[in-house]
């Protein structure tokens, strides 16, 4: 299993909206960055993700899972753009803010710190476990 971080502006698509989608989940569409797209192309069903509210809140609020592998993005006719489908697994017990992540020395190389604008980011297993511990949430 691999781990990822998915950023979403909560006023456009929030954690609560992903939860409402249930088992069906949601197409993670509209990504127009090549690195983010390539990250999605590497994902497999069952990979886990940190759901991060960007701009408003700036915090990890939930654990999600890849429910469908990369396929053409239905919001465009441009064949360059793909996306995965995500479903909510569970909320975190304690949101982890960007400030919390930056204050944790063991996360200094995390993409959330070093590539802040990238909307779909890889997360190492060690980073996953640290963030889940900070969130008081079982990493498994």
């Amino acid at each position: 299993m691999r781990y990822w971080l998915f950023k979403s502006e909560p006023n456009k698509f929030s954690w609560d909206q992903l939860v409402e989608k249930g088992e069906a989940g949601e197409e993670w569409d509209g990504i127009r960055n090549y690195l983010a797209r390539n990250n999605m192309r590497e994902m497999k069903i069952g990979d886990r993700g940190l759901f991060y509210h960007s701009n408003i809140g700036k915090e990890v609020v939930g654990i999600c899972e890849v429910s469908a592998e990369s396929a053409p993005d239905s919001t465009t006719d441009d064949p360059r753009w793909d996306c995965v489908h995500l479903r909510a697994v569970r909320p975190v017990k304690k949101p982890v803010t960007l400030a919390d992540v930056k204050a944790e020395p063991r996360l200094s190389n995390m993409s959330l710190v070093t590539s802040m604008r990238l909307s779909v980011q890889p997360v190492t297993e060690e980073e996953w476990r640290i963030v889940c511990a900070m969130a008081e949430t079982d990493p498994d």
Side-chain angles (χ1 to χ4, degrees):
M1 179 185 312
R2 295 190 63 191
Y3 303 100
W4 308 92
L5 183 137
F6 298 89
K7 289 183 172 183
S8 184
E9 296 177 24
N11 59 325
K12 293 184 180 177
F13 189 80
S14 69
W15 169 254
D16 290 338
Q17 288 171 290
L18 184 61
V19 170
E20 288 173 9
K21 298 293 181 178
E23 287 294 315
E26 177 74 3
E27 181 180 47
W28 201 250
D29 59 31
I31 303 301
R32 299 295 181 264
N33 174 285
Y34 286 105
L35 184 52
R37 181 211 56 194
N38 292 345
N39 285 338
M40 288 192 290
R41 286 181 173 177
E42 293 182 30
M43 294 177 189
K44 302 294 181 204
I45 292 174
D47 281 0
R48 292 288 170 99
L50 300 169
F51 194 98
Y52 179 85
H53 279 167
S54 61
N55 295 336
I56 301 168
K58 295 184 182 178
E59 60 191 1
V60 173
V61 295
I63 304 293
C64 58
E65 171 176 86
V66 175
S67 58
E69 292 180 13
S70 186
D73 184 329
S74 70
T75 65
T76 182
D77 293 328
D78 188 333
R80 294 176 296 169
W81 304 114
D82 304 354
C83 60
V84 295
H85 283 70
L86 299 179
R87 71 172 190 87
V89 174
R90 66 181 169 273
V92 296
K93 291 180 182 173
K94 177 184 172 193
V96 178
T97 67
L98 178 59
D100 295 335
V101 170
K102 287 181 172 183
E104 171 52 67
R106 296 174 296 169
L107 297 176
S108 63
N109 292 321
M110 187 175 183
S111 290
L112 185 58
V113 175
T114 63
S115 302
M116 290 177 53
R117 295 191 50 81
L118 188 61
S119 60
V120 179
Q121 306 175 351
V123 174
T124 68
E125 184 173 357
E126 179 183 14
E127 292 165 347
W128 175 264
R129 294 195 175 281
I130 293 167
V131 172
C132 285
M134 293 169 70
E136 300 174 1
T137 299
D138 183 359
D140 299 318

